[in-house]
Amino acid sequence: MAKISLGKGINMGLRAAMEADPKVVVMGEDIGKLGGVFRVTEGLQKDFGEDRVIDTPLAESGIIGTAVGLALRGYRPVCEIQFDGFVFPAYDQIINQVAKMHYRSLGKIRMPVVIRIPFGGGIGAVEHHSESPESLFAHVAGLKVVSCGDPVDAYWMIQQAIASDDPVVFFEPKRRYHEKAELDEAVPPALPLHQSKVVREGTDATLFCWGPMVKTCVQAADAAVEDGRQLEVVDLRTISPLDLPAIFASVKKTRRAVVVHEAPYTLGPGAELAARITEECFYHLEAPVLRVAGFDTPYPPSRMEEEYLPDLDRVLDGVDRVMEY
C-alpha cells in the first residue's frame, strides 16, 4: 500500500503499460526531459529512452497525425495535449482520422490511440488553460471519452485505456492532480474502463459527476447530511459510452437526479444524461433532472473563475431545487 497523488497514479500507470508492452510510446510537448508541465511523465524518458518518450514540436495536429501513423504500424501511442484549450488544432485529426479509421476500413484497422488532456478550471490559469470540452468529443462516433476522479482510478484507467483497441480521449482533472489516496497495486482494478461507480450511497437524490466534480459532489453530500438528506454520488468515469444501466438503477432508487459538470450548461454532457434518464425513468422520477454546470460563456479570467465553476453552494442549491418538487 502506498499513498499516491492522482498525477503520480497516471505516471505509475504509464510506466506499468510501457513495461508490459514495448509498442507503447508516449509523446507530447515537454513531456520528456521536463516531465510535462504538471510533471505527470517525470522520469519516463530517463528510464525508457527518447525513442519511446518523445518530446514533440509545439504542433498538436502533428502530434495526433503522427500517432495515427504509429497506430497503423502496430504501436500504441499515448499523446499528451499540454492543456485542454490546446487540443483544438488537433481536432481535425482526432475527428476525421482517429475516430473514423476503424469504420472507414470496415473494421480491418484499429486505432489504439490514447489522447491525454488535462482539463477543467480551478488553478488560476490564463485563457485557453481551463476548458472543459468533453461534450465536443463525446458527440463524435468512434471515440471513447473517459475521466478519472481519484488516484486509484487514474492508475488503472490509464492502463485500461492504453490496452483498448479503440481510441480513448482521457480527461485528467488538473486541479485534482495533487489529491492523494491509498493504492495497492496488487489488487486488480475493481471496474472495467467503461463502468461508473457509486462513490457514496444515498436514498434521497443522486448526484452524477466525473473528474474534478467528484470531490465537490462528495463534499456536498457530506454537507447535506446536516439537512437530513442522504445523497448518492455516482462517478460516471465514462462519458462515452455512458454506463446507462448503473445510471438508471441509481435514479430508480433515489427518484431524483442532479448532474454536475464544469462544461457549459447548454448542450453539455448533462443534457444527454437528462434526456436518457427522462426517457427510461420517467415514471420513477419525482422531479425533473436538474443540471449544475458552467455558464454559457467563454471561460472567464482567473479572478472570476470561482463565480463560474460549480461549487458546494451551487450543488446544494441544485439539491434544494430538486427536492422542492
Side-chain angles (χ1 to χ4, degrees):
M1 293 284 286
K3 196 165 191 176
I4 63 164
S5 66
L6 189 148
K8 181 65 174 177
I10 296 170
N11 178 284
M12 293 170 62
L14 289 169
R15 180 178 295 276
M18 296 182 76
E19 289 173 346
D21 185 352
K23 290 292 188 178
V24 176
V25 296
V26 180
M27 53 198 296
E29 299 164 6
D30 297 322
I31 68 161
K33 293 179 181 178
L34 181 64
V37 170
F38 298 101
R39 305 298 186 265
V40 171
T41 54
E42 192 167 34
L44 296 181
Q45 189 180 77
K46 177 176 68 69
D47 294 336
F48 293 98
E50 295 183 6
D51 291 338
R52 293 189 64 195
V53 182
I54 305 163
D55 277 318
T56 68
L58 304 182
E60 287 77 14
S61 182
I63 294 169
I64 304 302
T66 301
V68 171
L70 286 167
L72 291 173
R73 295 302 298 268
Y75 289 90
R76 291 183 175 271
V78 182
C79 306
E80 177 180 303
I81 302 298
Q82 199 169 73
F83 281 92
D84 35 47
F86 298 175
V87 74
F88 300 112
Y91 197 71
D92 176 19
Q93 293 280 8
I94 296 170
I95 303 311
N96 289 314
Q97 306 302 329
V98 175
K100 293 183 171 61
M101 192 68 72
H102 181 64
Y103 191 84
R104 182 187 300 147
S105 67
L106 301 178
K108 296 176 182 178
I109 295 174
R110 293 286 188 177
M111 275 284 114
V113 178
V114 176
I115 302 166
R116 295 180 42 240
I117 307 177
F119 84 121
I123 65 168
V126 296
E127 190 178 17
H128 308 310
H129 291 66
S130 301
E131 307 293 328
S132 294
E134 56 265 43
S135 60
L136 299 179
F137 296 95
H139 177 72
V140 178
L143 295 178
K144 303 296 177 66
V145 182
V146 304
S147 181
C148 54
D150 62 65
V152 176
D153 273 352
Y155 174 73
W156 289 115
M157 288 174 67
I158 190 64
Q159 294 180 69
Q160 292 168 326
I162 293 169
S164 172
D165 285 333
D166 295 316
V168 178
V169 181
F170 195 94
F171 281 102
E172 302 168 8
K174 67 170 81 78
R175 68 161 140 161
R176 306 299 186 201
Y177 272 143
H178 300 294
E179 302 287 338
K180 293 187 176 182
E182 296 282 349
L183 170 69
D184 186 349
E185 296 177 75
V187 177
L191 299 170
L193 181 61
H194 299 299
Q195 187 171 323
S196 63
K197 70 176 179 181
V198 178
V199 179
R200 180 191 176 105
E201 296 276 357
T203 56
D204 296 322
T206 302
L207 300 177
F208 291 107
C209 53
W210 56 88
M213 287 291 101
V214 174
K215 181 177 180 179
T216 302
C217 287
V218 170
Q219 291 172 335
D222 290 341
V225 173
E226 297 180 7
D227 296 326
R229 293 170 178 166
Q230 296 295 324
L231 304 181
E232 183 147 297
V233 179
V234 176
D235 177 1
L236 292 188
R237 300 171 76 245
T238 177
I239 304 160
S240 181
L242 289 169
D243 182 10
L244 293 173
I247 292 168
F248 297 155
S250 181
V251 172
K252 289 176 181 178
K253 179 175 73 170
T254 66
R255 308 177 79 84
R256 292 175 172 85
V258 179
V259 186
V260 184
H261 58 69
E262 290 189 19
Y265 184 91
T266 299
L267 296 179
E272 179 66 21
L273 261 77
R276 293 293 188 98
I277 291 169
T278 302
E279 287 174 7
E280 180 69 21
C281 305
F282 183 79
Y283 291 109
H284 296 270
L285 290 170
E286 299 285 351
V289 180
L290 300 186
R291 289 168 284 163
V292 178
F295 298 111
D296 294 338
T297 69
Y299 197 86
S302 59
R303 283 185 292 180
M304 297 175 60
E305 69 177 353
E306 290 185 7
E307 305 299 324
Y308 178 91
L309 294 170
D311 59 8
L312 181 70
D313 289 337
R314 286 181 60 195
V315 174
L316 290 176
D317 177 68
V319 172
D320 287 342
R321 288 186 287 124
V322 83
M323 296 299 293
E324 286 173 359
Y325 284 92

